[in-house]
Amino acid sequence: MEISEIKACEKAIEDSKRALITNSLRNQVVIAFSGLRRSGNHACIDWVSSAFLGRPTNLQPVSSHIFRSNCENVLLFNEVNMAPYFADLISVNRPRIARAKLVLMSVDDVVISKDSVYTPPNTRIVYVTRHLLDIIASRLTLNMRKAEDGIDRGDMGVNWQLIRQHKELQSLGKLGLLWDYSLWQSDPIWRRLFLRKLGLSADFSIEMAIAG
């Protein structure tokens, strides 16, 4: 088989996967959250989920990478960039997707755009950010605690890549929806304005996110 034929086959496979993802999510509201871990990604996700449902909500784990609300109206694909086969994850969860009204994608430590595999057409992207020093302090604290338990997976670094991605998120957020952890904690008016951009209004305080 020629190289051109191999590339054509690979493209056909990728196009087929994108079509499956798009068709599976065509009837749902889809929001993708792109942020660095320890920025408040899952605090934001639970807050938006609560606003959508009109009551305080903490999404519960169902299986690997899958969380949902008790009523099944909200479905979260968590850390999808770490799932081996995203299209397969969508495919095997199509019954859950069909029951959901809101589908959320959490993409951690990866800065995504509209042409990402994780953002089918009409996906709203929320860029999650926090003061860089707060992220670093939170990561170091968590890494030390996990190291004592012997369970740290070793991929939550404090390095040049963290700084570069933080700057990139800040820049992209100015063009779209930028969720700021500090403002979310301190400014009720900012919270209401942010929810309004998503077509939501109910502003609830939330507990610590299980998925974080």
Side-chain angles (χ1 to χ4, degrees), residues 165-185:
Q165 288 180 322
H166 186 266
K167 289 182 178 179
E168 192 173 354
L169 282 165
Q170 295 278 0
S171 298
L172 285 171
K174 293 176 182 177
L175 303 176
L177 282 173
L178 182 67
W179 185 87
D180 185 286
Y181 184 83
S182 298
L183 288 172
W184 174 72
Q185 283 194 315

Side-chain angles (χ1 to χ4, degrees), residues 2-209:
E2 299 289 337
I3 293 178
S4 59
E5 293 177 317
I6 295 174
K7 289 184 177 179
C9 288
E10 290 175 345
K11 183 179 185 305
I13 292 171
E14 288 303 311
D15 289 346
S16 175
K17 289 180 179 179
R18 284 182 177 272
L20 182 150
I21 293 168
T22 298
N23 290 333
S24 298
L25 297 166
R26 65 183 182 276
N27 296 321
Q28 284 71 32
V29 176
V30 182
I31 304 175
F33 297 82
S34 177
L36 303 170
R37 276 176 292 170
R38 313 311 296 174
S39 293
N41 295 5
H42 294 96
C44 180
I45 287 169
D46 275 354
W47 180 58
V48 169
S49 300
S50 299
F52 182 84
L53 294 174
R55 60 181 179 275
T57 301
N58 198 281
L59 302 180
Q60 303 296 316
V62 176
S63 60
S64 179
H65 297 285
I66 306 297
F67 288 71
R68 72 181 180 194
S69 60
N70 289 333
C71 63
E72 301 188 11
N73 284 336
V74 178
L75 185 66
L76 166 65
F77 289 87
N78 185 46
E79 294 184 334
V80 290
N81 54 300
M82 297 182 187
Y85 305 103
F86 178 57
D88 293 340
L89 187 66
I90 293 291
S91 181
V92 299
N93 284 283
R94 290 180 82 171
R96 289 189 176 119
I97 292 173
R99 292 193 293 271
K101 296 178 180 178
L102 174 65
V103 174
L104 310 174
M105 308 283 183
S106 169
V107 187
D108 293 357
D109 288 344
V110 173
V111 182
I112 60 173
S113 61
K114 282 289 185 182
D115 59 355
S116 168
V117 67
Y118 308 117
T119 54
N122 300 321
T123 299
R124 298 293 301 273
I125 302 177
V126 174
Y127 294 100
V128 179
T129 190
R130 186 180 185 182
H131 292 311
L132 182 58
L133 291 179
D134 289 339
I135 296 174
I136 292 172
S138 182
R139 285 191 172 200
L140 291 174
T141 299
L142 181 64
N143 282 343
M144 286 188 290
R145 187 168 71 243
K146 285 191 172 184
E148 291 175 356
D149 296 333
I151 59 173
D152 181 28
R153 60 192 187 189
D155 60 353
M156 199 184 299
V158 176
N159 50 31
W160 65 268
Q161 185 176 0
L162 171 69
I163 297 171
R164 178 181 59 78
Q165 288 180 322
H166 186 266
K167 289 182 178 179
E168 192 173 354
L169 282 165
Q170 295 278 0
S171 298
L172 285 171
K174 293 176 182 177
L175 303 176
L177 282 173
L178 182 67
W179 185 87
D180 185 286
Y181 184 83
S182 298
L183 288 172
W184 174 72
Q185 283 194 315
S186 63
D187 191 337
I189 295 175
W190 181 91
R191 291 166 67 111
R192 289 196 296 272
L193 291 174
F194 185 93
L195 288 173
R196 191 179 301 169
K197 292 176 183 178
L198 291 173
L200 304 171
S201 59
D203 182 9
F204 296 98
S205 297
I206 61 168
E207 300 176 358
M208 179 68 70

